[in-house]
Amino acid sequence: CAPLILDKVMSGGDLAAKWIDKGLPSSDSVTDSEDHASQTTEVTGKARYFQRISEFFNDPTSIPLPRLTERQLAEVANYLVALSLGSPAVCYLRTQQRQSAGITLEMMDGAFEVASGFVTTFNKPESVAIVRLCTSSKTAGSHLDRILEYSISGNLQALLDEYFYLIREQEGLTSLRDVASHISDVLTIRASTAKVDDASTILKAALPNSVGRARFLRTHFAVDFAGQKLSTAKTSGRQINIRQAFNSPFRPFVLATTSIGQEGLDFHLYCRKIFHWNLPANAIDIEQREGRINRYKGLVIRQNLVKKYSNSLALAGNETAWTEIFRVAEEKEGKVQGVCEMVPFWHTEPEDHESEDQIRIERYVPLYSFSRDIEKYKDLQRILAYYRITFGQPRQEELILALADKVEDQSYEAIRDLLIDLSPIRFRHV
């Protein structure tokens, strides 16, 4: 509650007083759910915390503080600096504030809701382990101190600014309350359970008389898309789509896909690595799968634009960094003669074509030693190049086979005359 008390001392704290008098945000009220006991405990804890904030804010002299030495005062000052830089509530309040001229009660409710979601996330065992591995031993005595160090080193402020910008546009969320609820739901997703097979279950399926029992694996980051929906910790009545949860700056960041990845799904906001669980029958299916993470304002696009134009930003007023980055990129790339409107939102050329550190979509294919998939993958890679030449033509597979027979040993340059260019994007390199 120190930031609120400082706000009261420095500026009167009228808005903070109104927010406290309004009471605990209604979204955190208790609802019926199958996990009622744990949810009640969580909400009760928030209620006690909110009550304590209210008491201390209204009467700061009631805070049981000892007389502090100069060294302790310096430590308190450093802690408040860390809190202002790494607290999820403070960071998200700043993110919302960038959208208007001042702070409103709705923004404070949103900050409280998002921060509550971060509490749930950071208290998970797997999150505790990650935070411990990524922070120094100097903060070994406090999980909260480690969280602040983790958030500052990972630039939580920039993360929330980017995520806020993306989901407002891509999910069509207009109100600040809807955005805060979306982020909170993503942060509070419960661990799911996946059914897995082992030797006994496989034998049971093959041999009716064999003994086998289904096994279930509890998962935290990896989620089976077939389930379609996930419950949030806030209430079992609130469901969030797995696609929405995946398109967040929180784990996982790798798409492992089979043929289901060929459907019209978007997994591109925070993913540029795709793991092909199996090899498709033809190269066209590879293009379809990888198209799931190669889409409008995808991670690859944003990372390349930041690399090229981050030094050209000149923010003014309430303009966000991402609005400015795409404005600069459109001015320098999209308005070039002969380039369509897909640039730079769907495609941008890397800064250095020769560099080994190019930011691009990464494809991973498991190839086991002495497997037939090794040769199959080589054929798919070769045919994929022909497919891109014949894109948009009828009876593509027959044309690909004909090309493969005629130009088996020739390079792409040797068959450029066969190319029918249907691409809306053209680049000329000097």
Side-chain angles (χ1 to χ4, degrees), residues 159-226:
L159 178 149
L160 289 173
D161 288 347
E162 179 185 26
Y163 191 32
F164 186 94
Y165 168 82
L166 290 172
I167 61 174
R168 283 197 82 177
E169 179 182 64
Q170 308 240 353
E171 299 294 338
L173 303 176
T174 56
S175 72
L176 295 177
R177 183 181 180 85
D178 289 341
V179 177
S181 295
H182 181 99
I183 297 175
S184 178
D185 285 343
V186 168
L187 286 165
T188 59
I189 286 178
R190 293 174 179 158
S192 62
T193 303
K195 185 178 179 180
V196 297
D197 288 317
D198 59 8
S200 64
T201 56
I202 293 174
L203 286 174
K204 183 179 180 181
L207 304 172
N209 295 328
S210 63
V211 178
R213 179 180 297 178
R215 295 186 60 189
F216 294 90
L217 180 67
R218 187 176 175 85
T219 64
H220 299 277
F221 297 129
V223 179
D224 179 9
F225 185 76

Side-chain angles (χ1 to χ4, degrees), residues 303-348:
Q303 288 181 331
N304 273 302
L305 293 184
V306 167
K307 189 174 182 180
K308 290 193 287 187
Y309 304 121
S310 58
N311 295 327
S312 304
L313 300 186
L315 301 183
N318 296 325
E319 193 172 32
T320 66
W322 287 105
T323 302
E324 176 67 3
I325 283 176
F326 279 103
R327 186 195 67 77
V328 171
E330 187 175 18
E331 187 72 28
K332 294 188 175 183
E333 295 184 26
K335 295 184 179 180
V336 176
Q337 185 176 4
V339 175
C340 75
E341 294 181 355
M342 294 182 71
V343 178
F345 306 102
W346 285 79
H347 178 81
T348 181

Side-chain angles (χ1 to χ4, degrees), residues 231-401:
S231 295
T232 67
K234 186 187 303 180
T235 162
S236 62
R238 291 288 289 273
Q239 303 282 343
I240 188 164
N241 194 289
I242 294 177
R243 179 192 61 79
Q244 295 173 331
F246 187 82
N247 280 326
S248 74
F250 315 110
R251 295 168 184 261
F253 305 116
V254 178
L255 177 64
T257 180
T258 59
S259 58
I260 194 172
Q262 297 162 208
E263 305 299 329
L265 303 167
D266 297 337
F267 296 111
H268 62 293
L269 292 189
Y270 287 93
C271 177
R272 63 182 179 90
K273 297 181 180 181
I274 184 166
F275 188 98
H276 290 276
W277 196 258
N278 61 354
L279 285 177
N282 57 70
I284 300 172
D285 291 342
I286 287 185
E287 285 282 87
Q288 291 293 323
R289 289 185 188 183
E290 296 182 357
R292 302 310 100 213
I293 59 173
N294 184 18
R295 305 187 74 74
Y296 179 77
K297 291 188 179 180
L299 181 61
V300 171
I301 300 295
R302 300 198 311 277
Q303 288 181 331
N304 273 302
L305 293 184
V306 167
K307 189 174 182 180
K308 290 193 287 187
Y309 304 121
S310 58
N311 295 327
S312 304
L313 300 186
L315 301 183
N318 296 325
E319 193 172 32
T320 66
W322 287 105
T323 302
E324 176 67 3
I325 283 176
F326 279 103
R327 186 195 67 77
V328 171
E330 187 175 18
E331 187 72 28
K332 294 188 175 183
E333 295 184 26
K335 295 184 179 180
V336 176
Q337 185 176 4
V339 175
C340 75
E341 294 181 355
M342 294 182 71
V343 178
F345 306 102
W346 285 79
H347 178 81
T348 181
E349 288 290 275
E351 189 175 40
D352 184 359
H353 288 273
E354 305 299 328
S355 173
E356 296 182 357
D357 298 327
Q358 282 189 39
I359 301 172
R360 53 191 173 188
I361 289 175
E362 299 177 20
R363 176 196 301 160
Y364 296 89
V365 181
L367 298 174
Y368 303 103
S369 300
F370 308 110
S371 168
R372 287 180 293 180
D373 281 350
I374 296 176
E375 290 301 320
K376 182 180 178 181
Y377 182 54
K378 291 179 181 178
D379 290 339
L380 285 173
Q381 285 181 302
R382 175 173 52 84
I383 294 173
L384 185 60
Y386 300 147
Y387 164 68
R388 289 169 180 163
I389 292 176
T390 63
F391 182 75
Q393 302 301 309
R395 307 179 72 86
Q396 291 172 348
E397 293 186 5
E398 293 181 10
L399 184 53
I400 286 172
L401 290 174

